Amino acid sequence: MKKSDRSVTIKDIAREAGVSISTVSFAFNGTAPVAPETKERIFEVIKRLNYQPNSAARGLVTRRTNNICLFTPQPASGFFSFAGNSVFTHLLQGIGEILDQKDYNLLISWDNLGHKAKTPKLIKLMRERAMDGLLICLPSHDSSVIEELLEHRFPVVIIGSNGLKNQVNSVDVDNYDIAFRNVQHMLALGHTRIAFISPGPLEYLVCEDRLEGYRDALEEAGIRYRDEYLFIGDEHEGSGYRATDAFLSLKEPPTAIVSGRDTQAVGVCEYAKAHGLSIPDDLALISFENSELAEKYGISSVTTDLYEIGKEGARLLYKLLTRKKERSAQNIVIPSELIIRSSCGGANQNINHSRR
Amino acid sequence: MKKSDRSVTIKDIAREAGVSISTVSFAFNGTAPVAPETKERIFEVIKRLNYQPNSAARGLVTRRTNNICLFTPQPASGFFSFAGNSVFTHLLQGIGEILDQKDYNLLISWDNLGHKAKTPKLIKLMRERAMDGLLICLPSHDSSVIEELLEHRFPVVIIGSNGLKNQVNSVDVDNYDIAFRNVQHMLALGHTRIAFISPGPLEYLVCEDRLEGYRDALEEAGIRYRDEYLFIGDEHEGSGYRATDAFLSLKEPPTAIVSGRDTQAVGVCEYAKAHGLSIPDDLALISFENSELAEKYGISSVTTDLYEIGKEGARLLYKLLTRKKERSAQNIVIPSELIIRSSCGGANQNINHSRR
DNA sequence: CTGAAAGCGCTTACAG
DNA sequence: CTGAAAGCGCTTACAG
């Protein structure tokens, strides 16, 4: 008996099949022609001995690990993963599906929401060559890490907004456009006093983009932007509730609310219920995300297809990894769709948000 | 200028510092005494050149990758990740925290909920030596893959229930015990007609364990188990709603429901609301998980601390990885706590679920 | 305390 | 079509 603790190596196969290790390698990888009979013999042995090339040894010479790393805010952090939302899991699902079919493994790593973190972790992983490419989703402005990666020409795709548009590959929905159209929808329904709840602090680019879309749509319609119609919310229902309370205590309360995310919209609904207000009659409501909550509460909401975003991100990264020549950065926009429900009082039709 | 595309290797450091590569290795890893001055010189160069050992090269000789793999059902699969529940992300958070501090990377991989899948993926990863250890969470009975891993003495920790208790290390809450005590709680409140909603199909061991705890508690109280008091639910609210409907159409409807998960309990609440029933007066309710939903709806629920489960799982795996001598399998039980809210009509006190 | 050398398990020119 | 050999970048006995 052989020592059973050692894994089977290419040498074992070569010896057992009576060929050289190069031939085994050529046969296994199909990287050079091998006589049919030899090939057959080799594969018989490979199957019998359950041979699988050692990834470290292989990686050492090929300089590839077949590992992709997804770098995110902490999975349980408020902004990204919260009740009623499965943002994170859908993203993972999309990424995983593509990587799986391309035979890449998924590493996952995170820091403290992007800001303060020194983030040497990512740089360390790059220097160690522990991964071949990187999918980053950091909603904040801080892009020093990303810049360092780019300097080293490390393959990177950004999921979501980033401050380096045109310099780095990215995939996202068009947050600006969605906000713009949501406001337009309300305008079309006759509203002029339209408030906005930011999905989170304005340091996050998603939030900034949505706010900007909101402002520009108002401006285009010749409607003055008012500070008191902006509420900086967070990922909790409560922020939608408080926003509504704040809005409705104004001398000139808004008649419509553009909510930055579905959980907030639920808060708006809860406020309305608690105060005997009708949505959409007393207050029209439209939101972002189109999560299960939007459906449950009958809230009109624009889809943010994170599954699709994940898939496209992984595909783009794979392209970077396999293409020889460098290409200029690509910014992929995943289309969104406005799902109209009872909350905004509009006709019951869906509107495609095309790329602007 | 040097070619900037090549990463800096141990040779570069050795040359620049005027020592041999062994000395650099000794200094960097602290694996043999090195003269203070030499050490200082070496680290100066390391810092200046941003040296980080190539992980493949290192792994090839040490036979370690510093990668741990988390194997789960698909992240977006119904049972594990659904609206109102952040099971998956909390688990990730706990695991990641420990791995981070032990300097391990997290690989993540999944199959189609454990059943049918041929799962060569996991075996392949093991044979390639792409990971040092494995955290598996597969709620189903199928343990052939796990058995194969164990045969190879591959370090494995199971998250959750498994059919191989005592043969394999695991971490979980005590589902049987929680169900048992939930029923006891209802019994103590005077209920005798107590129904149970299974959190999912009985092929899942969690479900089986909870059902068994339910049955045994009834039996101990001398109460006959009735088939019509069992409803096999799923991860959606709707199943709780339908269960309630089914229960209340019986000639002898239950007066209390033990719900298998919080989403279902919400369904029970929605049914009650829709039919003008009071919880707990017309129907008492107690659940599992204690998610944000339980709080929002005032549902008494027992905590399932997946963050803690993740941490303990990672810690246990780390022990397996660093301990020389093999030890018999450990089954860690994470304590749960019953959080009493208005839904069961009990006194407003929390009860510790100790290990049975 | 330090260096020369072997070797981890592969891939890949290079001969033949 | 096949094999002998170099080499990927480290760690680790082994001398000294």
Side-chain angles (χ1 to χ4, degrees):
Chain A
M1 298 295 296
K2 318 174 193 168
K3 300 173 218 152
S4 64
D5 253 23
R6 240 200 60 229
S7 347
V8 6
T9 73
I10 198 172
K11 276 189 192 171
D12 299 319
I13 307 300
R15 191 189 331 106
E16 201 81 358
V19 293
S20 75
I21 61 166
S22 357
T23 306
V24 175
S25 177
F26 292 148
F28 188 91
N29 298 309
T31 181
V34 173
E37 314 84 54
T38 347
K39 195 184 286 183
E40 201 177 332
R41 195 148 30 93
I42 290 174
F43 273 108
E44 182 274 317
V45 180
I46 285 178
K47 215 125 284 173
R48 180 154 53 81
L49 268 52
N50 284 322
Y51 171 67
Q52 191 70 42
N54 178 298
S55 59
R58 178 180 266 193
L60 184 53
V61 25
T62 61
R63 296 169 177 292
R64 304 192 325 133
T65 60
N66 271 35
N67 290 159
I68 286 306
C69 178
L70 170 65
F71 193 74
T72 72
Q74 301 205 21
S77 75
F79 193 74
F80 238 58
S81 138
F82 40 83
N85 189 311
S86 9
V87 163
F88 193 69
T89 49
H90 285 149
L91 183 65
L92 267 184
Q93 184 81 27
I95 293 171
E97 235 161 75
I98 301 301
L99 294 191
D100 211 42
Q101 91 193 28
K102 305 293 190 193
D103 205 35
Y104 273 83
N105 300 314
L106 179 57
L107 269 172
I108 170 164
S109 182
W110 55 81
D111 74 354
N112 299 297
L113 259 188
H115 331 276
K116 50 205 85 171
K118 313 151 288 178
T119 331
K121 202 171 163 187
L122 219 43
I123 304 297
K124 187 188 165 215
L125 286 172
M126 173 188 68
R127 296 219 173 97
E128 290 179 334
R129 304 202 159 277
M131 57 187 181
D132 300 337
L134 199 42
L135 251 18
I136 300 190
C137 67
L138 281 183
S140 76
H141 266 290
D142 175 21
S143 47
S144 54
V145 192
I146 300 173
E147 277 163 3
E148 182 161 358
L149 292 163
L150 292 180
E151 265 171 37
H152 290 262
R153 295 207 200 79
F154 196 79
V156 170
V157 170
I158 309 252
I159 305 273
S161 302
N162 67 88
L164 298 167
K165 206 118 178 174
N166 295 109
Q167 298 173 55
V168 52
N169 298 280
S170 71
V171 181
D172 201 0
V173 294
D174 190 337
N175 286 297
Y176 172 93
D177 189 57
I178 296 173
F180 194 94
R181 286 165 182 273
N182 276 0
V183 173
Q184 281 194 320
H185 190 82
M186 288 306 186
L187 289 167
L189 293 172
H191 295 280
T192 55
R193 300 210 302 273
I194 303 169
F196 178 68
I197 309 178
S198 172
L202 296 180
E203 291 92 79
Y204 295 146
L205 283 153
V206 216
C207 303
E208 192 184 303
D209 286 349
R210 292 185 183 176
L211 175 57
E212 208 182 326
Y214 161 78
R215 295 186 66 147
D216 285 1
L218 288 184
E219 189 179 332
E220 191 187 272
I223 296 179
R224 175 174 64 89
Y225 166 83
R226 317 172 173 204
D227 260 343
E228 67 272 28
Y229 278 7
L230 170 64
F231 188 96
I232 308 294
D234 57 36
E235 67 276 15
H236 302 293
E237 243 184 73
S239 70
Y241 194 97
R242 292 193 307 278
T244 315
D245 191 46
F247 291 149
L248 297 188
S249 343
L250 295 172
K251 332 89 238 184
E252 274 202 312
T255 59
I257 293 181
V258 175
S259 157
R261 63 202 315 170
D262 285 341
T263 43
Q264 295 172 342
V266 169
V268 176
C269 292
E270 298 285 6
Y271 183 94
K273 199 197 301 174
H275 293 75
L277 299 174
S278 152
I279 288 181
D281 297 338
D282 297 321
L283 196 57
L285 176 64
I286 194 166
S287 181
F288 291 77
E289 265 177 46
N290 192 43
S291 64
E292 306 86 338
L293 285 175
E295 187 170 3
K296 175 171 178 187
Y297 284 81
I299 299 162
S300 297
S301 194
V302 177
T303 57
T304 299
D305 193 344
L306 269 129
Y307 170 69
E308 208 52 53
I309 290 178
K311 278 171 85 167
E312 281 305 320
R315 281 196 191 109
L316 180 51
L317 185 53
Y318 179 73
K319 268 194 225 160
L320 298 182
L321 259 30
T322 48
R323 197 151 44 198
K324 315 279 170 253
K325 46 184 190 269
E326 282 194 50
R327 306 237 312 216
S328 58
Q330 244 182 95
N331 300 110
I332 297 182
V333 176
I334 304 295
S336 294
E337 192 188 353
L338 170 55
I339 308 295
I340 297 201
R341 301 199 177 83
S342 59
S343 76
C344 58
N348 190 20
Q349 60 186 21
N350 293 347
I351 296 177
N352 272 293
H353 273 213
S354 58
R355 311 173 182 209
R356 63 173 162 125
Chain B
M1 297 296 296
K2 315 172 196 171
K3 301 172 218 154
S4 65
D5 254 23
R6 239 200 60 228
S7 348
V8 5
T9 73
I10 198 171
K11 275 188 191 170
D12 299 321
I13 307 300
R15 190 188 332 104
E16 201 81 358
V19 293
S20 74
I21 61 166
S22 1
T23 305
V24 174
S25 178
F26 294 147
F28 188 90
N29 298 309
T31 183
V34 172
E37 314 83 56
T38 347
K39 195 184 287 183
E40 201 177 333
R41 196 149 29 92
I42 290 173
F43 273 108
E44 182 274 317
V45 179
I46 285 178
K47 213 124 288 171
R48 180 154 52 80
L49 268 52
N50 283 323
Y51 171 67
Q52 192 71 41
N54 177 297
S55 58
R58 178 181 265 192
L60 184 54
V61 23
T62 61
R63 296 168 175 292
R64 302 192 326 132
T65 60
N66 271 36
N67 290 160
I68 286 305
C69 179
L70 172 64
F71 193 74
T72 72
Q74 299 205 22
S77 74
F79 193 76
F80 238 59
S81 139
F82 38 85
N85 190 310
S86 9
V87 163
F88 193 70
T89 48
H90 285 147
L91 183 66
L92 265 184
Q93 183 82 24
I95 293 170
E97 233 161 76
I98 301 300
L99 293 192
D100 211 42
Q101 91 193 28
K102 306 291 190 195
D103 206 33
Y104 273 83
N105 300 315
L106 180 57
L107 269 172
I108 170 164
S109 184
W110 55 80
D111 73 354
N112 297 300
L113 260 191
H115 333 276
K116 50 204 83 170
K118 314 151 287 176
T119 330
K121 202 171 163 187
L122 219 43
I123 304 297
K124 187 187 165 216
L125 286 172
M126 174 187 69
R127 296 219 174 97
E128 292 179 333
R129 302 203 160 277
M131 58 188 179
D132 300 337
L134 199 41
L135 251 19
I136 300 190
C137 68
L138 282 181
S140 76
H141 267 288
D142 176 22
S143 45
S144 55
V145 192
I146 300 175
E147 277 162 3
E148 182 161 359
L149 292 163
L150 292 180
E151 266 170 35
H152 289 262
R153 294 207 199 81
F154 196 81
V156 169
V157 169
I158 307 253
I159 306 274
S161 302
N162 66 89
L164 298 167
K165 207 120 180 172
N166 296 109
Q167 296 174 56
V168 53
N169 298 280
S170 72
V171 181
D172 201 0
V173 294
D174 190 336
N175 285 297
Y176 173 93
D177 189 57
I178 297 174
F180 194 94
R181 285 163 183 273
N182 276 1
V183 173
Q184 280 194 321
H185 191 83
M186 288 307 185
L187 290 167
L189 293 172
H191 295 280
T192 55
R193 301 210 303 273
I194 304 168
F196 177 68
I197 309 177
S198 172
L202 297 180
E203 292 92 78
Y204 293 148
L205 283 152
V206 216
C207 303
E208 191 184 305
D209 287 349
R210 291 183 184 177
L211 175 58
E212 208 182 324
Y214 161 76
R215 295 186 66 145
D216 286 1
L218 288 184
E219 190 178 332
E220 193 188 89
I223 295 179
R224 176 173 63 88
Y225 166 84
R226 319 173 173 203
D227 260 344
E228 68 271 29
Y229 277 10
L230 169 65
F231 187 96
I232 308 294
D234 58 35
E235 68 275 15
H236 301 292
E237 245 184 71
S239 70
Y241 194 98
R242 294 193 306 277
T244 314
D245 191 45
F247 292 149
L248 297 187
S249 341
L250 294 173
K251 332 87 238 191
E252 275 201 311
T255 59
I257 294 181
V258 175
S259 155
R261 64 201 315 169
D262 284 341
T263 42
Q264 296 172 340
V266 168
V268 176
C269 292
E270 298 285 7
Y271 184 93
K273 199 199 299 175
H275 293 76
L277 299 174
S278 152
I279 288 181
D281 297 338
D282 298 321
L283 195 57
L285 176 64
I286 194 166
S287 180
F288 292 76
E289 266 178 46
N290 192 44
S291 65
E292 306 87 337
L293 285 174
E295 186 171 1
K296 175 170 178 188
Y297 284 83
I299 299 162
S300 297
S301 193
V302 177
T303 57
T304 300
D305 193 343
L306 268 128
Y307 170 69
E308 207 52 53
I309 290 177
K311 278 171 84 167
E312 281 304 321
R315 281 196 191 108
L316 181 51
L317 185 55
Y318 178 74
K319 269 194 224 159
L320 298 181
L321 258 31
T322 49
R323 198 148 47 195
K324 315 279 170 254
K325 46 182 191 268
E326 282 194 49
R327 305 236 316 213
S328 57
Q330 247 183 91
N331 299 109
I332 297 182
V333 176
I334 303 295
S336 293
E337 194 188 353
L338 169 56
I339 309 294
I340 297 201
R341 301 198 177 82
S342 60
S343 76
C344 58
N348 190 18
Q349 61 188 14
N350 293 348
I351 295 177
N352 271 293
H353 274 211
S354 59
R355 312 171 182 214
R356 64 178 163 125

